[in-house]
Amino acid sequence: MCIRDRRRVHGRANKWDAAYQMISRHLPETEVSMLYIKEGQKHEKDQMFKEAERMYLTVNEPDLAINMYKKAKQYDNMIRLVMKYRKDLLKETHLHLAKQLEKENNLKQSEHHYIEGGDWNQGVEMYRSRDMWEEAIRVAKSNGTAKDLAEIAKKWAQTMDRDQGVKLLTKLGLVEAAVDFLCDKKEFTEAFRLSDSNAKYKLPDVHLKYALHLEDEQRFKEAEENFIKANKTNEAILMYEHLEDWHSALQVARQFSPESVPQVYIDQAKFYLKKQDMPKAEAAFINAKHPDIAINEYIQRQMWTEALRVAKKYAPHLASEINQRISSQGLKEGSVDDLLGSAKMWEDSKDYVRAIDTYMDINPSNMKDIGQLEAVWDRAVNLAMNYDKERAQDIVAEVGKRLEALNRFVSAGELYENAGFFESAVTCYITAQQWTKAKDVVSQIKNKEQYSKISSMVEKAYKEFLTKNQDIGGLTSEGDVSTALNILAQKGEWDECLDLASKQSGEIFNHYLLLYVKNLIGEGHFKEAAEVFVKYKCPTNPANFAVYKTLALEILAEAELNDAELLVLKQMMIVLCNNLQAESSPASNPVLIEFNQYSIIAHLELLKAECKARNLQKSYTKVCISLLRYTKEIRVDKAFLDAGMACKDAKMLNMAFVLLNRYLDLAEAIEETEGGSGLQDNADFADTDIPSPFETPLPEKNLLAEAKRNEIRDWVLQVSVEQQIAPKLATKVCEQCGATIFEACLTCPKCKKVWEPCVASGYPLPKAGISYCKTCQKGAIKEHWTEYVKATQHCPQCK
């Protein structure tokens, strides 16, 4: 019989021990283990757990047996094996089972394992989380201390109102917990009552908690009383120390804890040390009977003189040691008082040279107080002036140099001034911007050459200072009005600039007026520029003429004119022309003629807009025609377009044809790159005062889109084809020479007679049928005057 057959026989007879003895001698250990594990797994599958356990343990696999019982939820057997084979994992296993059982809501079993795992608190928490407070209390009472029980009971009580909570805790015999519960709820009156009646030993605890509450409420005096009643005097002292109320801290210490008084003083001293208040810190250390600490603090700060003073007065046994340490310091930091004492000693013994040298040995490295250092050096200078005159100037120069290095320029200047070093004094005063002192020094100088040099230096520096600080008042006072004006102009403070300039010569005023106006024009503020001229009465300085002209042309060149700009332009030109006439400029003066023309153009453009707005058709048409004579100044294509359309609307078809045809020629010329080909024929406008197209500038772009221009072109062609009109301008007979001329001419091309323009239409005024304004004395054709005044109730010129 083979070995495997014997194993089967023994196995069937459940003689596994004998089988194991036999096969273990003939098979490898791993194969034996696998055979037993497989057999155990079969038993486990058949729920023959004891037989499976035996198989696993036989081949030393307790973990398989443990895991088997875990899966089968036979936790007692699982624990039994863990205790025997995995004792180090026993607690961890209990806790793992407890958590698993808790999830399964098997609370009793979970509790058992929490306790066995040494974490009974988790068992309490399990019941607490389910509001099973009685169970939680039971577990705490069985496993925890009285304190633990009290804490759990307090947590239960906190889920109730005050009275129910106290009743619960009292019922459980936890009076202390009840008192703590009341304190936690800030019910101190009830806490005192309960303690007084049931647990007097708890009264100090209640007083302490009440005191801490009062401290939080900033009721410090009441807090102090309760700290004392709680036998916590030190807490009251610490409270006052935290508040930096040292008086109250000391008062409590003296009354209730005298042994604490020195420590309170020491704490107070440390407080002053943090604030670098050494005198108060010293006083506190002395009051604490610890002068040694004060001495050490002075030594740490290299304050040797102070350390020695305290030692001599309060700790004489330390004075000798400190004195020896001071002697070893030499000229190092901390020995300046010794140097001062030494210098004073040399003075007293009349050894002034040594006194001066000792004072000069003191410098910023050993004396930080610059004011005191100045006084020391001043003493050296005074001694030199009186007792060491040979070195006096050198001492002054050296001290002055030191003061300058410390930026004490005023002190250095005063030193130089008193010593007669005037140039050095002035240099220091200039650096310090002490101009009065600098000028006072100049007034003391007798030497003419030196006076000229130093006074020029002060004047130049002062003006540079005023310019840098843009001190207009100062510059003006110094007579440097030009610089003041330039500063104001650069800052854009033009009102102040022109106000100051107006107090100077006319040339200066006009210079800054032009500067302001040009600046406005450059920014495109034409209306504002014209308003400035009007405000300042339009000076007739010839330098202004080009600017007046530029301003007029800029305003008139726009495709869509601005009424506000036109109005102020008209005002400007009227004021300017009146000024020119007041200066006896002849009427033939070309400047006056040009500016008067700008005034007329602005007036007609305003009149044109108003007539159109009020639907004054006759006057509007005449104004549009009149503006054709000014196409050098206004936009030429718009002038012909507006005049042509106005004539068309007024049924003046002859004129409309001519004017719109000219507009189309202009539009074509604008479109062409080389320009001008459509403007070769000017016969229709010969012998008129309408400028030749070759004299008028063309705009860069057309006013109307091509579709609109085509509509006009179609009308012109239609009228031309139908031959309904005579394409020519309207004419009249010259009153002087009888020649037939264009009706809107202001100058006869034959006899050169000149007519004034009508203020209501721009047409020439005839001999008869004229109305005059009683205010401005300007004339108008009666028909147009009546139409305009009836609609507006005012004169078209002066309104």
Side-chain angles (χ1 to χ4, degrees), residues 586-613:
S588 59
N589 184 341
V591 173
L592 178 58
I593 292 171
E594 181 178 13
F595 291 146
N596 187 55
Q597 181 167 293
Y598 293 139
S599 172
I600 292 171
I601 297 170
H603 168 71
L604 290 176
E605 288 286 5
L606 286 167
L607 185 62
K608 171 184 170 184
E610 189 170 15
C611 289
K612 184 176 183 180

Side-chain angles (χ1 to χ4, degrees), residues 161-179:
D161 61 28
R162 186 195 72 181
D163 293 340
Q164 287 177 328
V166 172
K167 184 177 179 181
L168 168 69
L169 294 169
T170 305
K171 179 181 177 182
L172 293 172
L174 300 172
V175 177
E176 288 187 24
V179 172

Side-chain angles (χ1 to χ4, degrees), residues 516-528:
Y516 182 24
V517 170
K518 287 178 180 178
N519 186 55
L520 290 171
I521 292 173
E523 294 175 355
H525 301 314
F526 306 127
K527 172 178 172 288
E528 291 78 2

Side-chain angles (χ1 to χ4, degrees), residues 423 425-436 438-439 442 452-471 474-475 478 480 483:
E423 187 168 350
V426 164
T427 300
C428 287
Y429 287 143
I430 287 174
T431 304
Q433 299 178 0
Q434 294 291 317
W435 305 106
T436 302
K439 292 175 182 178
V442 171
S452 176
K453 176 184 176 182
I454 296 176
S455 63
S456 297
M457 181 172 71
V458 173
E459 182 179 349
K460 180 183 177 183
Y462 185 43
K463 286 185 178 180
E464 289 175 353
F465 166 77
L466 293 173
T467 302
K468 181 180 178 181
N469 289 276
Q470 300 186 344
D471 186 340
L475 287 167
E478 288 294 307
D480 194 356
T483 301

